[in-house]
Amino acid sequence: MALDQSIVGRESGPAIYSWNSRDTLLYALGVGAGQDDALKELAFTTENTADTPQQVLPTYAVLLMQNTARVDLGDIDRTKLVHGGQAFTLTRPLPVEGSVKVRHKVCGLYDKGSGALVVTEATAHDVASGELLATTTSSVFIRGAGGFGGDRGTSDSITMPDRAPDFDAPTQTRHDQALLYRLSGDRNPLHSDPAFAARGGFERPILHGMCTYGITGRILLHAFCAGDPARVRGMQARFTKPVLPGDKLRIQAWRDGDSVLFRTLGEDGKPVIDGGRLDLTAA
């Protein structure tokens, strides 16, 4: 199996992705909404609560891209592929239901020695109006696919401030978190099939990186935006270690002007998400 090294510039789409109220409710539950305080997050987990219109978590933007056909990377071993990083930018809060036209493009292939890093950009335009709703940048790391002599790329990681966090709180993932999250579209057996996970070198199925990303984004939304999705312009972060369903996480964040810098720590106190930044609109 080999990574196709001619993929830079390759595009896919346009593809149509549609969602409804049920989809966004299920996603919210999949990233832990209502787990600690069911009444606190009814705007994201119900559609018929009095005086509480349904809203959509900003991180749902990544599903608009993930749930459409992406660029073919060639004949690679999928057990060796892990999410490297994710960013999204919104032009406005996502509607409870809608349809978008999605295009993907590979914009980078980097030789990291032990593996290859593939960077893809995607755009989502509203089908009815043509309006750009969201853009994303996603990177995947393919273990064992490096060493082909390509560009190593640059490091543009965000460093956390050398002071105590402005926000520091634990959160508990569920033992069935991956089984719940996969219902939003990512059916990769790495997160459910013990045999598949073992072939990838994991002791048991791991949690989706995008689930940990969504959990982190949801908690930061309440901590810094009073739960208002209109306050979020975008979010970016790197995935540094796998998380197992049932792990206890800790989210640390620092206010930095119109942004919030953050990281998510795993059970051992080491980052599982690092170099994070949540970009805010004016209050």
Side-chain angles (χ1 to χ4, degrees):
M1 295 185 178
L3 175 66
D4 184 350
Q5 296 177 30
S6 67
I7 58 176
V8 177
R10 186 177 297 174
E11 301 182 8
S12 70
I16 303 298
Y17 177 69
S18 300
W19 70 98
N20 58 32
S21 169
R22 183 181 184 277
D23 296 321
T24 55
L25 295 175
L26 183 60
Y27 172 78
L29 294 174
V31 297
Q35 182 174 312
D36 297 323
D37 184 349
L39 298 183
K40 178 182 177 182
E41 298 186 280
L42 291 175
F44 303 108
T45 58
T46 65
E47 78 292 348
N48 55 1
T49 299
D51 302 319
T52 307
Q54 184 184 347
Q55 299 186 76
V56 181
L57 290 171
T59 50
Y60 188 76
V62 301
L63 264 66
L64 309 184
M65 320 301 184
Q66 282 198 321
N67 287 347
T68 51
R70 285 169 277 177
V71 178
D72 181 13
L73 302 182
D75 187 19
I76 61 173
D77 184 350
R78 295 286 168 177
T79 68
K80 305 298 183 183
L81 185 150
V82 294
H83 214 135
Q86 183 69 51
F88 72 85
T89 302
L90 294 171
T91 61
R92 61 177 174 85
L94 293 170
V96 169
E97 59 183 29
S99 293
V100 287
K101 186 178 294 186
V102 179
R103 288 181 170 85
H104 297 262
K105 180 178 181 180
V106 175
C107 56
L109 171 61
Y110 304 104
D111 186 349
K112 297 297 186 179
S114 63
L117 188 73
V118 182
V119 181
T120 305
E121 294 180 346
T123 57
H125 288 78
D126 181 76
V127 169
S129 68
E131 173 194 7
L132 176 66
L133 287 184
T135 60
T136 66
T137 301
S138 178
S139 65
V140 295
F141 185 76
I142 308 169
R143 292 174 292 160
F148 53 86
D151 180 8
R152 290 190 61 85
T154 59
S155 176
D156 56 355
S157 60
I158 297 171
T159 302
M160 298 299 106
D162 186 20
R163 59 181 175 83
D166 298 314
F167 176 81
D168 187 348
T171 186
Q172 181 71 50
T173 64
R174 297 163 50 112
H175 289 284
D176 62 353
Q177 198 85 55
L179 300 179
L180 181 57
Y181 182 82
R182 72 190 295 271
L183 299 179
S184 286
D186 188 344
R187 302 298 180 93
N188 185 341
L190 180 63
H191 309 294
S192 56
D193 182 349
F196 190 94
R199 292 201 301 273
F202 298 103
E203 61 182 80
R204 59 188 175 92
I206 62 175
L207 189 60
H208 306 70
M210 289 312 305
C211 182
T212 306
Y213 184 91
I215 291 170
T216 301
R218 177 181 61 81
I219 290 174
L220 294 176
L221 176 70
H222 292 293
F224 292 93
C225 306
D228 181 4
R231 293 290 319 282
V232 175
R233 288 192 296 113
M235 176 174 160
Q236 69 176 66
R238 292 183 293 109
F239 303 102
T240 53
K241 284 187 64 179
V243 172
L244 295 176
D247 279 358
K248 187 175 184 178
L249 306 176
R250 177 171 291 276
I251 297 167
Q252 297 180 330
W254 294 259
R255 187 64 188 256
D256 183 37
D258 291 333
S259 298
V260 175
L261 307 182
F262 67 88
R263 65 187 175 202
T264 302
L265 308 180
E267 290 250 330
D268 59 2
K270 296 180 180 178
V272 296
I273 287 181
D274 207 354
R277 189 181 72 217
L278 181 73
D279 294 321
L280 309 178
T281 62

